[in-house]
Amino acid sequence: MKRRNTITQEAVLSVLTKTRRAMSQDAIVKQMNVDADRATVYRILNRFCEDEIAHKIVADDGKQYFAVCMKCDEKTIADNHFHFRCTKCETIECLPVLVEFSLPKNYSVQRMNCVLIGVCKDCA
């Protein structure tokens, strides 16, 4: 189904594409250049996730963050990838490299929500 493009939707996408880091709904609303209520922004963000424009990260603090699905070195970052939350600057970013892990025999991954926590390269 084709979705109608709105000014609010364009504003949300603009904010998300200007950063390479994941953002909370509150941070997105603060940076938008149009007025919109929180419920509308939340619906737009979830629609972006459904349409694979963005993905949702639930951090260790229980808060939801959203990031645009981006390409890195001409390879699409898989939906199931690791994220990194910096304890100093409180940012979350998608890790553009493959982080390997192993599972016990007969287990298979269908979805992941992996957030590594520490100090980012900018704060180190």
Side-chain angles (χ1 to χ4, degrees):
M1 175 173 102
K2 186 172 173 150
R3 299 195 192 267
R4 186 172 62 98
N5 198 14
T6 66
I7 293 170
T8 306
Q9 184 176 324
E10 288 177 13
V12 171
L13 188 58
S14 176
V15 169
L16 281 174
T17 55
K18 286 180 183 175
T19 182
R20 292 188 58 88
R21 298 177 189 249
M23 300 178 72
S24 68
Q25 175 186 352
D26 293 336
I28 293 167
V29 169
K30 285 180 187 173
Q31 291 189 25
M32 287 174 48
N33 58 1
V34 297
D35 288 331
D37 63 76
R38 291 175 42 100
T40 299
V41 173
Y42 187 73
R43 280 193 303 273
I44 289 169
L45 289 167
N46 281 302
R47 196 173 317 125
F48 283 170
C49 292
E50 289 172 13
D51 294 345
E52 297 179 352
I53 295 168
H55 61 278
K56 185 186 311 186
I57 302 113
V58 180
D60 59 308
D61 60 2
K63 201 169 189 179
Q64 294 181 7
Y65 296 84
F66 298 86
V68 170
C69 298
M70 65 184 89
K71 295 183 182 206
C72 180
D73 299 327
E74 300 300 317
K75 297 175 187 170
T76 302
I77 296 175
D79 287 339
N80 294 327
H81 60 274
F82 283 74
H83 300 88
F84 189 89
R85 184 174 73 81
C86 180
T87 57
K88 286 192 176 183
C89 65
E90 294 297 320
T91 59
I92 293 183
E93 62 185 301
C94 299
L95 293 178
V97 295
L98 180 64
V99 178
E100 295 188 26
F101 60 94
S102 61
L103 292 171
K105 189 176 179 176
N106 298 324
Y107 284 77
S108 65
V109 175
Q110 294 178 334
R111 234 175 357 150
M112 289 181 6
N113 183 34
C114 298
V115 179
L116 304 173
I117 302 157
V119 179
C120 73
K121 61 181 171 51
D122 296 335
C123 293

